[in-house]
């Protein structure tokens, strides 16, 4: 699974206290040159799918007896993140904070 498959959740788990749902995105694409815009659009599609997954409570099919108050979306970047990507994630975090959703950028 990868960032390019917006219909799939790459990884899912919850924390030890069972109050935070953790979703994983694995991003193997690069940001070189004119591909940066396309890459950000692909990432946006993937994030929108994850946000829909959370808002529609699709996770209840996997964890039927769990109640989550917080949600973390970890994005594992294989390649160097650009300033535009960082700004996009920061803006998304600002908007998603009211829904207790937080995106974490991880450089592998």
């Amino acid at each position: 699974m990868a960032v390019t498959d917006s219909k799939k959740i790459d990884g899912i788990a919850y924390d030890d206290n069972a109050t935070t749902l953790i979703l994983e995105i694995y991003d193997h694409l690069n940001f070189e040159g004119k591909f940066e815009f396309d890459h950000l659009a692909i990432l946006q599609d993937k994030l929108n799918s994850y946000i829909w997954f959370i808002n529609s409570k699709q996770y209840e099919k996997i964890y039927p007896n769990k109640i989550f108050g917080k949600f973390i979306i970890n994005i594992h970047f294989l390649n160097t993140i650009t300033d535009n990507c960082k700004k996009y994630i920061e803006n998304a975090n600002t908007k998603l904070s009211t829904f207790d959703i937080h995106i974490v950028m991880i450089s592998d």
Side-chain angles (χ1 to χ4, degrees), residues 3-88:
V3 70
T4 53
D5 191 351
S6 66
K7 305 273 189 246
K8 303 266 181 172
I9 301 295
D10 295 349
I12 186 168
Y14 59 87
D15 70 355
D16 291 336
N17 296 326
T19 58
T20 303
L21 183 70
I22 303 164
L23 301 171
E24 305 287 335
I25 295 176
Y26 300 103
D27 188 329
H28 64 287
L29 303 175
N30 65 53
F31 288 95
E32 293 178 10
K34 65 181 183 175
F35 185 67
E36 180 182 27
F37 177 80
D38 294 334
H39 186 162
L40 290 174
I42 291 166
L43 183 58
Q44 181 178 12
D45 285 345
K46 186 77 165 189
L47 284 170
N48 285 339
S49 292
Y50 276 49
I51 293 163
W52 175 85
F53 181 85
I54 292 167
N55 288 338
S56 64
K57 298 186 178 188
Q58 293 296 307
Y59 55 83
E60 289 179 346
K61 293 177 183 178
I62 300 166
Y63 302 117
N65 300 319
K66 302 286 184 201
I67 298 173
F68 299 106
K70 296 181 183 178
F71 304 90
I72 295 174
I73 301 172
N74 291 324
I75 306 175
H76 299 266
F77 290 99
L78 181 62
N79 297 297
T80 303
I81 307 166
T82 62
D83 288 339
N84 286 333
C85 181
K86 290 176 188 174
K87 288 176 190 174
Y88 169 73

